[in-house]
Amino acid sequence: MNKDIKKIAIVRLSALGDIINSAVVLQFIRQTYPNAAVDWITEELFSGALVSLKELRSVHTINLKKLKKEKSWKLLKENISKLRSLDEYDIIIDMQGLIKSAIVARIIGKNTHGFDKDSTREALAALLYKTTSYIPYSENVIKRNCFVVGDALGFTIDDEMLLKKKAVFAVSKEFQLRSDVKNIAFVIGASWESKIYPKEEVVNVCDALKEQCYIIWGNAKEREDAEWICAHSEYATLAPEMNLDELISFISHVDLLIGNDTGPTHIAWAQNIPSITLLGPTNRRMLYETPKNVAIESPSKVNIMKINKNDFSIKDIPYQTILKQAKELLK
């Protein structure tokens, strides 16, 4: 612990799943630095996942996606001015390790910390940090998050702490789910088509489980697929339309979540809810496995340095494998 650290900034701009997997560090920062002010800088699109976290003093947003789309000089100046106007931090920790996040951190201030050149895919980012940490890029992403923060602040976040963690997010809304059966959430969407488990197989899982399966959706295409699943399985029910805060609360009420490698699926681990993550073009590096949070991988050989978005091997995961694992977790 460094007693001189009173103000901490965390830079993690995107994406939703990565922010959810990163937010776990806040409870451990609070344990070691109970009086420190901690701010988070993120993309505006993902701020909803952070604003309710009691460990944060403030959430500051920028809009790099809009800037990239519009290529506006005025918008660029506005974002830079906003970053420069933030507090004077004792340390600014870039948890993302990309050139864009390193630039954001360096605009905020000089006391930057991040991954060294051998620990990230974009080695040039390390040139913008005052101090760095080494941890192999192949290491589990949650362990990487915890290590770079702990190393920056002078303490260790170990496996025992992660296994005993508190739920990351507060539950803001109560949902009255069925009490006569198990309630299972199924996350059917993902950012890439190749990450999505076939809807026909989702029906097979629902029918075989014979429990209450809520099909979670986030856009028009996912809703269409969710409605198709519900039309083909008497055990499937369309989940209500929810904002991010409501989704966190809903997932916090279920007995099990099954889903693709995407942000809503990672909420289950964050909230200490049993989960099965289905992996095709990605691998176990993307989640922290526990006795009740497990992964099922396709037969694909994944190169984490060059993810193949055309790897549709997730369809080769037998639904019977998911069924067997789900029954174990529901015992």
Side-chain angles (χ1 to χ4, degrees):
M1 177 178 175
N2 184 339
K3 293 182 180 179
D4 294 329
I5 294 178
K6 302 287 196 301
K7 297 177 182 179
I8 302 165
I10 291 175
V11 177
R12 178 85 223 194
L13 304 176
S14 60
L16 177 60
D18 297 306
I19 289 171
I20 289 165
N21 284 338
S22 300
V24 67
V25 303
L26 294 173
Q27 60 187 271
F28 304 122
I29 294 174
R30 183 60 63 217
Q31 289 171 16
T32 309
Y33 292 86
N35 300 314
V38 184
D39 293 351
W40 193 301
I41 295 84
T42 188
E43 280 273 9
E44 187 176 310
L45 178 64
F46 304 112
S47 61
L50 298 166
V51 291
S52 64
L53 292 173
K54 63 182 183 299
E55 295 93 344
L56 290 175
R57 178 182 66 172
S58 300
V59 177
H60 301 288
T61 64
I62 56 175
N63 204 330
L64 295 185
K65 289 185 180 294
K66 185 177 180 181
L67 179 61
K68 183 178 179 181
K69 181 180 179 180
E70 297 185 3
K71 298 179 173 60
S72 164
W73 177 248
K74 180 183 177 183
L75 188 58
L76 174 62
K77 289 194 293 183
E78 287 176 357
N79 276 279
I80 292 174
S81 177
K82 185 175 184 179
L83 292 171
R84 285 178 172 167
S85 70
L86 299 184
D87 210 336
E88 188 171 329
Y89 297 102
D90 299 307
I91 191 163
I92 304 152
I93 306 170
D94 178 12
M95 295 181 69
Q96 194 152 0
L98 299 179
I99 293 172
K100 66 178 181 181
S101 58
I103 290 172
V104 167
R106 187 62 185 80
I107 292 172
I108 294 169
K110 295 180 179 179
N111 298 320
T112 54
H113 183 94
F115 296 102
D116 78 2
K117 64 181 180 62
D118 297 315
S119 304
T120 181
R121 286 188 304 166
E122 299 185 4
L124 289 176
L127 297 174
L128 296 170
Y129 306 134
K130 184 177 180 180
T131 56
T132 58
S133 298
Y134 169 74
I135 182 169
Y137 185 71
S138 59
E139 183 57 88
N140 178 273
V141 293
I142 287 96
K143 289 187 176 183
R144 279 171 55 83
N145 294 338
C146 291
F147 180 79
V148 74
V149 169
D151 196 37
L153 297 175
F155 69 97
T156 299
I157 303 172
D158 59 27
D159 286 324
E160 184 178 2
M161 293 166 71
L162 285 170
L163 288 169
K164 293 181 178 179
K165 78 180 192 313
K166 298 181 296 182
V168 174
F169 302 98
V171 175
S172 62
K173 181 177 180 178
E174 293 297 319
F175 287 89
Q176 299 299 320
L177 304 185
R178 290 179 60 179
S179 59
D180 57 324
V181 293
K182 298 293 186 181
N183 293 286
I184 301 166
F186 219 122
V187 176
I188 62 167
S191 54
W192 315 335
E193 191 70 26
S194 58
K195 282 185 174 184
I196 297 175
Y197 194 60
K199 61 186 179 182
E200 296 81 5
E201 295 299 284
V202 174
V203 168
N204 287 335
V205 175
C206 294
D207 285 347
L209 281 171
K210 294 180 171 57
E211 304 285 359
Q212 176 63 70
C213 298
Y214 294 97
I215 312 302
I216 292 175
W217 54 278
N219 57 42
K221 175 62 170 65
E222 290 175 14
R223 175 163 186 151
E224 182 182 323
D225 289 341
E227 289 175 340
W228 186 93
I229 291 166
C230 294
H232 287 79
S233 174
E234 63 178 296
Y235 300 98
T237 299
L238 188 71
E241 183 175 4
M242 295 176 276
N243 62 33
L244 186 53
D245 195 46
E246 291 169 333
L247 178 61
I248 289 169
S249 294
F250 185 86
I251 289 172
S252 300
H253 283 78
V254 302
D255 299 298
L256 172 68
L257 183 145
I258 304 170
N260 307 310
D261 178 15
T262 187
T265 299
H266 297 305
I267 291 171
W269 172 77
Q271 297 302 94
N272 298 325
I273 297 297
S275 65
I276 300 171
T277 303
L278 307 177
L279 302 169
T282 55
N283 63 14
R284 280 182 160 84
R285 175 180 177 273
M286 309 309 294
L287 69 151
Y288 188 87
E289 290 192 270
T290 74
K292 63 181 182 181
N293 302 106
V294 301
I296 297 177
E297 292 179 307
S298 75
S300 181
K301 300 295 183 183
V302 175
N303 178 2
I304 61 165
M305 299 302 293
K306 193 175 182 180
I307 297 294
N308 179 11
K309 293 186 178 182
N310 292 314
D311 174 2
F312 286 85
S313 61
I314 193 169
K315 65 180 175 52
D316 297 325
I317 298 175
Y319 83 87
Q320 295 92 338
T321 303
I322 301 171
L323 176 64
K324 180 180 179 182
Q325 186 65 74
K327 287 183 175 180
E328 284 293 318
L329 293 173
L330 289 169
K331 283 182 179 178

